[in-house]
Amino acid sequence: MNKEILPKFLLGLCAASGLSISDLALAADDTKIKSLDKVVVNARYWDESADKVPESLTVIEGSELDKHGLVLLETKIPNITIERSSVQTRIVSRGVSGIDTGLQDPLAYYVNGVALPQGGNQLPQLVDIDQLEFLKGPQGSLYGRNSEAGLLKITTSAPSFTPQFSASLSTSLVDGADGNAPGNIASVRASDALIDKSLAGSIAVRVEDSQGAYHNLAEGHNDGGEVKSWTISTGLRFDSQVSTLIDFRSLIEQKDTGKSRMRFNSGNFATDRFTTHYNSATFDDSKSAIHSLKIEHAFEGFDFTSTTGYTDYHREFQADLDSFTLPSPETLMNMNDAMASQELRLSSNGEGSWRWLMGVYVFRQTTDIDFRIGAPRATRITDIDHNGAALFGQLEFLFTDKLALTLGTRVEESRQTGAQRYALMNITARYEADVNATQHLPKVTLDYTLSDKSIAYLSLAKGYLPGGYNYAFANKVNNFTYEPEASDNLELGYKVKNERLSLNVAAFFINTQDKQIVDVEPGNVQRISNAAETQSYGVELALDYQFTSVISGYATLGTQRATANEYVRNVVVGGALASINLADNELPMAPSETYAFGLKYRTSPTGLFGRIGVNGASRYYFDSFNKIEQPDYKKLEAEVGYQFKKVNVSLAGMNLTDEEIYSRAINLPTGVLVEDASPRTITLNISANW
């Protein structure tokens, strides 16, 4: 990037955020610039500097996530949209999304090295987080299934051998339908040596009691968006002081949430924003446990790593089928999912012109679902056994001190056996089917070191999302399963990082075969259809710039076009079956532009700090027919606070312009049903560290 263009661009950011040109000119004379910190990641199973990884990678510190949660990703990462609705939590990256309410997600979620088979729905509230790494593009060569769109990798804080204690309290006022709604989150963490120099332990607890913005006219309640939860993070760390490290970490959560959040914004039943009209009791309760045991041993010439994982997830909900006061039975679901996994890796630990790693991974997952919906009510009881094994490896070879080639590959076998018992009035049926696949997931990356501050890279990778089961709306073996999808991905990128600037630029192209897409049709029936070919391509930019020792700026920009190339839907029109060609339609939840920019002010180590920023997106669609639209929006955010020696106090505002944003929308004969999101929120944060 031209050295003259960047300061002019950042001048524009300053002007938009309220800083005068004279302020910036004075800042330019400041010689005490604080260098941007070096960040170490393990996304490729090698400890390396984030700015040297030839991937589209974003790293977020745990202290930021504690305050803002996953919504922070929209500010940090271009070309993503996030659905955090009463139905599901999912992140759509570069236009690649999973099956709506499905059991498979194309974005892999890992916590302490353990995969979450239920994806974002299973992810606990963020507490005791050390670091989040977000990798875009297929990561199947190292992480296997469910990583077609990328990887979200979370690591909790390691137990410390020196005494540590921290506590925080956040209290919020949400601009809701019935006035200001309160919300409170409290957390504490303690860590210390249990046996001097050899065994350390930690425990962190987070408790939330938030009302939410929703008001139910039918029953006069304000609990439709409530969240009542507790989360416990524990850890034990054994250090032999020679060559062996044993690390156990556990996250356990119980969460009860309100589920009366959807409303009609058109038709005879339309209501105002955040105002619902449910006449049936609704709830959504879940329990999640994630356990990880990691053993590392250093041999002469190579390292050995073993990661044993176990996850247990239970979800039970009751929902009002029509989201209004019409007489209809509630929709009920009871799900239990458990998975045990084992990964063994060997990797080189010496220096030279090449480095390598190889490994084996096995897992077993069981899923039981009791789902009841409709009037008259249809009952579907589904049992799924999913077993898999994989061999994988990665080799990086330095042709010269500047040019490197990385070859990754994985052969993964997946075997699923599913059975469903279906009952509707006097009709009963039982059917079963297997969904088996063996996949080869290669990846090739070429990177060139332009200078000690910058690299350029080119990567080719194959993406893969397993097939699965339509547990919610099947009624015979022919519509009980759906097939896997595969994609070919190309990415070209450039990274630079020096004392002031961190800049990441990437261009990508994705071609997907047999893309599975879901729409809700009249009668509230969910259909899974196959788009023979879809395509997504675009450009992304993310930068941070340190103006002075106290003033910095940031900006992200993403442009993309994600469309169906070959896609024919069979639908009922006027009582007859008709084919509709949806080629050239945009894929759901894939805006053509996303952006964020802002300024930060911070004195160090104590003193005043603040930030102001805007993030937004162009309009996008929720459905494959491109009928239900989220208009373009921009959210203004700001924070001001003071850092004392051990205590931090701040006041933050989210969506200060109160933009109307939906997390979810579907089309029904009675109107468009939407779920409002991102209410204007003011939060007081107090934290302390000893």
Side-chain angles (χ1 to χ4, degrees):
M1 177 176 286
N2 188 297
K3 293 182 179 179
E4 295 181 358
I5 294 176
L6 181 62
K8 291 180 180 179
F9 173 65
L10 292 168
L11 280 172
L13 295 183
C14 293
S17 301
L19 281 184
S20 69
I21 301 300
S22 59
D23 291 335
L24 188 60
L26 181 61
D29 293 333
D30 194 329
T31 58
K32 298 178 181 179
I33 300 295
K34 179 184 177 182
S35 298
L36 295 174
D37 294 334
K38 178 181 178 180
V39 178
V40 176
V41 297
N42 189 250
R44 299 196 300 166
Y45 288 147
W46 290 318
D47 288 339
E48 54 192 338
S49 178
D51 57 295
K52 300 300 183 183
V53 176
E55 304 259 7
S56 181
L57 169 66
T58 302
V59 183
I60 303 177
E61 294 181 357
S63 58
E64 294 184 273
L65 291 166
D66 288 343
K67 281 187 180 182
H68 307 295
L70 284 181
V71 70
L72 187 63
L73 301 184
E74 294 178 328
T75 299
K76 298 282 188 176
I77 307 173
N79 281 336
I80 70 163
T81 50
I82 302 177
E83 176 186 344
R84 298 200 70 184
S85 71
S86 58
V87 175
Q88 63 192 350
T89 296
R90 64 171 170 172
I91 300 172
V92 180
S93 175
R94 293 177 172 174
V96 181
S97 63
I99 294 176
D100 194 17
T101 71
L103 299 177
Q104 306 279 2
D105 196 310
L107 181 70
Y109 292 78
Y110 272 69
V111 175
N112 294 325
V114 177
L116 306 188
Q118 294 296 326
N121 290 335
Q122 190 176 355
L123 184 67
Q125 303 282 8
L126 300 183
V127 60
D128 194 27
I129 304 301
D130 177 49
Q131 187 168 274
L132 180 150
E133 301 171 29
F134 194 102
L135 276 169
K136 287 187 177 178
Q139 305 300 322
S141 60
L142 289 181
Y143 295 93
R145 74 193 196 285
N146 297 350
S147 61
E148 179 187 27
L151 167 71
L152 189 153
K153 187 174 184 179
I154 291 175
T155 306
T156 59
S157 300
S160 171
F161 286 92
T162 58
Q164 292 181 348
F165 182 80
S166 61
S168 67
L169 174 65
S170 296
T171 182
S172 303
L173 288 179
V174 176
D175 191 358
D178 190 29
N180 292 324
N184 296 286
I185 301 172
S187 66
V188 295
R189 181 182 187 271
S191 182
D192 198 1
L194 303 178
I195 301 176
D196 187 37
K197 296 184 179 180
S198 60
L199 182 66
S202 67
I203 183 169
V205 179
R206 178 189 188 274
V207 179
E208 178 174 359
D209 186 352
S210 301
Q211 178 178 297
Y214 303 88
H215 176 65
N216 187 356
L217 289 175
E219 298 185 344
H221 292 166
N222 294 331
D223 56 3
E226 73 172 359
V227 177
K228 295 181 181 293
S229 69
W230 56 261
T231 311
I232 299 177
S233 172
T234 58
L236 288 172
R237 188 177 183 89
F238 172 77
D239 190 344
S240 70
Q241 300 296 308
V242 182
S243 55
T244 302
L245 187 67
I246 301 176
D247 205 331
F248 173 77
R249 303 194 194 177
S250 177
L251 273 172
I252 301 175
E253 178 176 86
Q254 178 171 308
K255 181 168 60 175
D256 300 338
T257 60
K259 202 172 173 63
S260 54
R261 303 188 193 181
M262 302 199 75
R263 67 176 179 90
F264 287 97
N265 76 339
S266 66
N268 294 331
F269 302 146
T271 57
D272 294 333
R273 191 172 172 217
F274 294 110
T275 303
T276 62
H277 215 152
Y278 285 67
N279 67 326
S280 299
T282 65
F283 62 86
D284 192 347
D285 301 339
S286 64
K287 298 177 181 178
S288 181
I290 306 165
H291 309 296
S292 168
L293 176 64
K294 186 175 182 180
I295 302 173
E296 298 177 292
H297 184 82
F299 293 92
E300 185 174 350
F302 67 92
D303 295 330
F304 167 78
T305 304
S306 167
T307 303
T308 306
Y310 180 76
T311 66
D312 188 41
Y313 177 64
H314 172 74
R315 184 183 184 189
E316 182 177 5
F317 71 66
Q318 176 172 301
D320 191 331
L321 175 64
D322 55 65
S323 301
F324 205 72
T325 56
L326 300 176
S328 60
E330 296 87 355
T331 299
L332 307 174
M333 188 180 83
N334 192 313
M335 171 193 286
N336 291 285
D337 182 280
M339 187 181 80
S341 63
Q342 177 65 58
E343 182 176 85
L344 303 174
R345 293 196 314 272
L346 300 176
S347 60
S348 59
N349 59 15
E351 296 182 358
S353 60
W354 55 280
R355 57 180 174 172
W356 56 269
L357 67 84
M358 63 180 66
V360 60
Y361 178 81
V362 295
F363 72 91
R364 181 174 183 180
Q365 177 188 359
T366 59
T367 309
D368 304 319
I369 307 171
D370 184 340
F371 188 78
R372 306 178 184 219
I373 189 173
R377 175 171 287 167
T379 298
R380 295 172 176 86
I381 299 176
T382 309
D383 302 308
I384 304 169
D385 288 329
H386 191 180
N387 303 292
L391 294 173
F392 62 92
Q394 186 168 268
L395 172 67
E396 181 185 72
F397 180 76
L398 299 175
F399 291 104
T400 70
D401 60 348
K402 293 182 178 296
L403 183 63
L405 174 68
T406 305
L407 301 175
T409 188
R410 186 184 186 102
V411 178
E412 181 166 289
E413 183 179 52
S414 170
R415 295 188 173 274
Q416 300 182 70
T417 299
Q420 186 172 84
R421 298 188 296 277
Y422 171 75
L424 176 63
M425 300 180 69
N426 61 346
I427 300 173
T428 60
R430 188 184 188 280
Y431 36 87
E432 58 184 49
D434 294 339
V435 179
N436 300 326
T438 300
Q439 290 289 330
H440 176 220
L441 302 171
K443 187 171 187 176
V444 180
T445 304
L446 192 67
D447 65 272
Y448 187 80
T449 301
L450 300 169
S451 70
D452 61 345
K453 306 291 186 183
S454 61
I455 66 167
Y457 64 88
L458 174 69
S459 69
L460 295 167
K462 185 175 182 63
Y464 160 66
L465 180 67
Y469 297 92
N470 181 12
Y471 69 88
F473 294 96
N475 55 18
K476 54 188 174 181
V477 70
N478 290 348
N479 58 19
F480 183 40
T481 65
Y482 55 89
E483 295 303 308
E485 63 185 58
S487 62
D488 299 305
N489 294 254
L490 169 68
E491 182 174 324
L492 176 65
Y494 169 74
K495 292 185 173 185
V496 60
K497 185 170 185 178
N498 56 39
E499 291 77 12
R500 288 178 180 251
L501 172 69
S502 174
L503 172 67
N504 298 323
V505 181
F508 64 90
F509 176 85
I510 306 169
N511 185 271
T512 304
Q513 300 81 45
D514 296 319
K515 178 69 180 175
Q516 309 297 335
I517 300 177
V518 168
D519 277 315
V520 177
E521 296 180 347
N524 211 15
V525 176
Q526 179 173 286
R527 301 293 184 192
I528 299 176
S529 59
N530 180 284
E533 182 181 71
T534 65
Q535 193 175 89
S536 177
Y537 58 88
V539 178
E540 300 167 345
L541 175 149
L543 70 83
D544 290 280
Y545 190 79
Q546 193 76 39
F547 291 95
T548 74
S549 60
V550 296
I551 301 176
S552 62
Y554 66 89
T556 67
L557 176 64
T559 64
Q560 65 181 351
R561 179 166 173 77
T563 59
N565 288 359
E566 298 179 35
Y567 187 19
V568 176
R569 284 285 308 273
N570 294 320
V571 299
V572 177
V573 179
L577 194 65
S579 295
I580 298 179
N581 187 357
L582 300 179
D584 295 328
N585 275 24
E586 296 179 22
L587 298 181
M589 297 188 70
S592 56
E593 289 94 26
T594 64
Y595 59 88
F597 59 88
L599 284 171
K600 298 180 180 179
Y601 176 89
R602 175 177 287 277
T603 57
S604 182
T606 62
L608 187 68
F609 66 89
R611 64 179 177 88
I612 184 169
V614 173
N615 71 81
S618 60
R619 70 102 183 97
Y620 55 87
Y621 297 104
F622 288 98
D623 65 322
S624 61
F625 290 95
N626 289 183
K627 299 294 185 182
I628 313 173
E629 179 181 298
Q630 165 65 59
D632 63 285
Y633 66 85
K634 51 185 176 298
K635 295 188 291 184
L636 175 65
E637 302 172 353
E639 182 178 19
V640 63
Y642 196 90
Q643 176 68 58
F644 298 91
K645 186 176 182 180
K646 296 184 181 296
V647 177
N648 180 299
V649 180
S650 70
L651 186 66
M654 306 291 289
N655 193 13
L656 292 172
T657 52
D658 204 23
E659 292 283 291
E660 187 168 356
I661 303 169
Y662 309 132
S663 62
R664 182 174 178 81
I666 59 177
N667 197 11
L668 299 179
T670 46
V672 175
L673 195 63
V674 302
E675 182 169 335
D676 298 301
S678 301
R680 178 164 47 204
T681 305
I682 305 297
T683 304
L684 175 65
N685 300 296
I686 304 173
S687 62
N689 294 274
W690 291 273

